[in-house]
Amino acid sequence: RSYNEIEMRLLETGGDLAEIENSYFDILAIAQQCPYAGGQAVYRARVMISMVNDTMMYDDNGICLQSGIYKGQQHKEEPIIFADFGMIPNPANDQIQITLSNPDDAICAIQIRHVSGHIVLDKKLACSENSIQIEIKNYMPGMYFVSIMDQNNVNQTKKLVIMR
């Protein structure tokens, strides 16, 4: 099945994880494709896979090279890696507090994405900001992914459950 068919079925069932488990191997086949060829479907399939198996790792360089796609790596400075970010409470109801442990003064991005892939928050802030409160009372109950990205596109993602 195509990714669009799987995602439509997931939306029809209200985000039921059993639907992902039933289509696991179809989704995994999409997630293991070269993202330069498969585009957003590959990344969205990886998000779905992470809901039931958050230990999956993907070797994009190897996968793409096997497909005949070579993307030269450009020289970059050593990226700054977040030691971690905290998020409390989880499960949450009305608001969450995110704490960053990065002393860098660069700009970071916080993104909250619903399990369906819909972005509900995309906010920029200084990486050195220690703590930020985010109102989530207008978000539908369910599973979300909170991602923090620095200026070097180093990204960390955690699951967030909103319950009422």
Side-chain angles (χ1 to χ4, degrees), residues 3-15:
Y3 178 79
N4 289 338
E5 292 171 332
I6 295 168
E7 187 173 31
M8 290 301 295
R9 182 69 185 135
L10 181 66
L11 291 172
E12 288 171 357
T13 61

Side-chain angles (χ1 to χ4, degrees), residues 123-157:
K123 183 175 182 154
K124 305 248 187 274
L125 67 143
C127 293
S128 61
E129 193 169 326
N130 291 336
S131 179
I132 182 169
Q133 295 277 84
I134 298 176
E135 294 291 325
I136 58 170
K137 62 185 170 192
N138 294 327
Y139 299 172
M140 297 285 293
M143 188 181 313
Y144 293 79
F145 294 96
V146 178
S147 298
I148 308 287
M149 184 182 306
D150 72 4
Q151 76 279 1
N152 294 314
N153 292 326
V154 174
N155 186 355
Q156 284 206 17
T157 302

Side-chain angles (χ1 to χ4, degrees), residues 1 9 18 23 38 46 53 55-56 62 65 76 79 86 92 94-95 107 110 114 118 127 144-145 158-159 161-162:
R1 293 189 296 176
R9 182 69 185 135
S23 303
R46 289 177 180 182
N53 180 0
T55 62
M56 281 299 287
L65 192 56
K76 288 197 236 180
D94 291 335
Q95 67 180 1
I107 301 298
I110 294 180
H114 186 263
H118 178 72
C127 293
Y144 293 79
F145 294 96
K158 292 188 177 187
K159 294 177 191 176
V161 176
I162 298 178

Side-chain angles (χ1 to χ4, degrees):
R1 293 189 296 176
S2 75
Y3 178 79
N4 289 338
E5 292 171 332
I6 295 168
E7 187 173 31
M8 290 301 295
R9 182 69 185 135
L10 181 66
L11 291 172
E12 288 171 357
T13 61
D16 185 9
L17 288 180
E19 182 60 32
I20 295 173
E21 291 169 349
N22 292 338
S23 303
Y24 183 82
F25 292 107
D26 292 332
I27 299 168
L28 183 61
I30 296 166
Q32 290 178 327
Q33 293 179 16
C34 174
Y36 305 124
Q40 287 297 312
V42 173
Y43 294 115
R44 294 172 78 173
R46 289 177 180 182
V47 168
M48 273 194 197
I49 290 292
S50 72
M51 288 188 283
V52 293
N53 180 0
D54 60 0
T55 62
M56 281 299 287
M57 301 293 287
Y58 304 96
D59 176 19
D60 288 343
N61 290 334
I63 292 169
C64 294
L65 192 56
Q66 288 176 355
S67 303
I69 299 171
Y70 176 75
K71 184 162 175 105
Q73 187 172 2
Q74 300 168 1
H75 177 69
K76 288 197 236 180
E77 293 181 25
E78 190 66 29
I80 298 166
I81 298 176
F82 289 104
D84 202 4
F85 75 91
M87 179 174 55
I88 54 173
N90 193 7
N93 185 359
D94 291 335
Q95 67 180 1
I96 58 173
Q97 179 177 351
I98 295 178
T99 55
L100 301 175
S101 59
N102 188 347
D104 192 6
D105 285 330
I107 301 298
C108 291
I110 294 180
Q111 189 176 79
I112 300 178
R113 183 181 300 260
H114 186 263
V115 70
S116 67
H118 178 72
I119 297 171
V120 295
L121 177 80
D122 196 3
K123 183 175 182 154
K124 305 248 187 274
L125 67 143
C127 293
S128 61
E129 193 169 326
N130 291 336
S131 179
I132 182 169
Q133 295 277 84
I134 298 176
E135 294 291 325
I136 58 170
K137 62 185 170 192
N138 294 327
Y139 299 172
M140 297 285 293
M143 188 181 313
Y144 293 79
F145 294 96
V146 178
S147 298
I148 308 287
M149 184 182 306
D150 72 4
Q151 76 279 1
N152 294 314
N153 292 326
V154 174
N155 186 355
Q156 284 206 17
T157 302
K158 292 188 177 187
K159 294 177 191 176
L160 168 66
V161 176
I162 298 178
M163 296 175 62
R164 296 199 178 83

